[in-house]
Each structure stands twice: as C-alpha cells, then as structure tokens.
Amino acid sequence: MAKAKRILKWQRDPEGMRIRILEAAKQEFAAHGLAGARVDRIAASAGANKRMLYYHVGNKEDLYLEVLEGAYEKIRAEERGLDLEHLDPPKAIERLIDFTWNYFLRNPEFLALLNTENLARARHLKRSTKVKSMHSPFVEMIRTVVTRGVESGDFRVAVDPVQLYISIAGLCFFYLSNSATLSVIFGRDLLKKEARDERLAHMVALVLAALTGKSTADFGKAELPGVRSPAHQPV
C-alpha cells in the first residue's frame, strides 16, 4: 500500500520528482565524482527508485551531464541579473568579480563538478548541445562593458572578454579550490571572513588596475597582511 502511494505521488508530480533526482545527483556527484557516485544513493536521497530515476533522466552518465548543464544554467542565469549594462564600466567589473567570488563561495558543489569534468578532459561536456549557447550572451555582456569602458576613457584597452572572464574566474577558483593546502603552506586560515574579504578587495584592485592602467593602490589596499613590500624586507 505504501509503495502504491509513493508511485501515485510520483505520477502526480513527475516534475517535482525530476527536480529532486537532479538535486540529489548534484550533491552525490559533487561529493564523490562521477566514478564514485552511486545511483542507489541518488535514488534513495530523492525518495525514488532506480526505475524511476532511469525513466526521468536515463543512465548515470546522462544524469551527470544534465546536472553539469544545470549547474552552468544556474550561474549564467544569475549573471544575467547583474544589470552590468547599466553600471559605469569599473563598477560593472567590480560587481562581476564580487558576484563570481561569492557565487563560488555559496556553491562549492559547482567547483567540485568543474574539477570532476576537467579531470575527465570535458569528455561529457563535449556531448552537450546547450552549454555553448548559454555562454555567448554572457561573453557579449562583458564585451559591451569593456567597449563602453574604452569609449568613456575608463579603460585603456579593449581586452578579449573571454580572457577577462577566465582571469576573473581563475583568481577566484584557484584560491578556493586550493585553500586547504595554501592555508597550511602560508600558515593562515584563508577561509576566515577577514581573509575572504581581503581576497575580494585584492582581486578587484588587481583587475581594475590592469584595465585602467592605474595602480592597485587607487582601488584600495591590495597588500596581504603579514606580507611586506620589497622595500620593507629585511636585508
């Protein structure tokens, strides 16, 4: 009887079941990678069974690709809401850096999925028919900001928007994905709030200095605590 009720509930809300499966799968793939993920655990977490899972999303690799596409859809959708087109160019770049940094902090499973897919040399992402089209409007949004910045005299050069975004994402991603080892190496907790805030300020200053030709000092303190400039190093 209980089993029949579960099946009826699934039949009444197939989209809800699909959403629960994808969320459970995201957590499973982020925690264990593709190879270590188990369909049984995903189904149990979603309140489904393997038959229902295969019906909704196909096999494990199909499910993984759908989770990966969903992760990209989510960040691109939130980026579209940043309203960069209506901000002064330096402010638009600052908002983009702030968003990227805080999005990565709020969504560690996104970083884990990226690590998994890069280890697979993007084998699954190459099958996607959606991902490239998601990124084109985002690249154009950054290109528009950069072009406006050059025209207004705020920026010195019209940098490639893809290179600019990769640089911003790289500054954020490397710090967070390597925070455990870097914290040990440098003897400081890089995920404390003060350290996170300082990292964000440093990244903003670094990128805006590159775009404007000004000093990082013009955009706030970029020097890390405990690290003295060469002029103050002991001899």
Side-chain angles (χ1 to χ4, degrees):
M1 181 63 71
K3 182 177 180 181
K5 287 182 179 178
R6 284 198 300 272
I7 292 174
L8 287 173
K9 185 176 180 181
W10 159 48
Q11 291 171 339
R12 287 197 303 269
D13 186 21
E15 185 57 27
M17 176 56 70
R18 180 183 180 83
I19 290 171
R20 289 194 294 277
I21 289 172
L22 290 173
E23 180 59 30
K26 180 176 70 174
Q27 300 302 326
E28 178 74 9
F29 290 129
H32 303 285
L34 177 59
R38 295 292 176 265
V39 172
D40 288 342
R41 287 198 295 258
I42 295 171
S45 179
N49 59 47
K50 290 173 72 172
R51 180 177 67 83
M52 291 160 60
L53 188 149
Y54 292 135
Y55 172 81
H56 280 284
V57 291
N59 61 32
K60 187 168 83 166
E61 291 209 352
D62 291 337
L63 176 57
Y64 169 75
L65 178 57
E66 189 156 352
V67 166
L68 196 60
E69 289 176 334
Y72 277 111
E73 284 175 345
K74 183 174 183 290
I75 187 171
R76 295 290 91 92
E78 292 195 27
E79 285 162 342
R80 287 195 296 273
L82 293 177
D83 198 32
L84 302 184
E85 299 91 334
H86 298 99
L87 294 174
D88 289 337
K91 277 293 180 186
I93 296 301
E94 182 177 352
R95 178 173 287 187
L96 177 59
I97 298 169
D98 180 271
F99 168 81
T100 304
W101 173 248
N102 283 292
Y103 188 90
F104 287 0
L105 283 169
R106 294 194 312 270
N107 297 275
E109 69 280 355
F110 180 60
L111 304 189
L113 290 169
L114 294 186
N115 278 329
T116 294
E117 188 58 10
N118 275 294
L119 287 172
R121 306 187 72 81
R123 178 165 59 91
H124 307 90
L125 202 61
K126 289 174 184 175
R127 293 170 46 209
S128 175
T129 59
K130 300 178 180 178
V131 169
K132 288 184 179 179
S133 62
M134 286 181 216
H135 288 71
S136 296
F138 178 60
V139 170
E140 287 309 308
M141 182 172 68
I142 298 175
R143 189 191 309 278
T144 298
V145 170
V146 171
T147 300
R148 285 196 298 112
V150 172
E151 291 173 350
S152 67
D154 289 308
F155 299 158
R156 294 185 64 184
V157 62
V159 299
D160 179 349
V162 172
Q163 291 287 6
L164 178 58
Y165 180 71
I166 290 173
S167 294
I168 291 170
L171 287 168
C172 300
F173 184 90
F174 182 85
Y175 183 100
L176 294 174
S177 65
N178 293 274
S179 60
T181 53
L182 292 173
S183 292
V184 172
I185 290 168
F186 294 113
R188 63 176 70 170
D189 183 353
L190 295 180
L191 293 182
K192 286 177 62 176
K193 184 180 185 308
E194 295 83 355
R196 298 197 312 266
D197 290 347
E198 187 158 26
R199 178 62 182 177
L200 176 57
H202 174 75
M203 292 187 295
V204 168
L206 200 65
V207 173
L208 288 181
L211 289 171
T212 63
K214 297 179 181 178
S215 166
T216 55
D218 292 324
F219 303 102
K221 186 178 179 182
E223 191 174 281
L224 295 174
V227 179
R228 289 176 288 185
S229 63
H232 295 91
Q233 292 290 350
V235 293

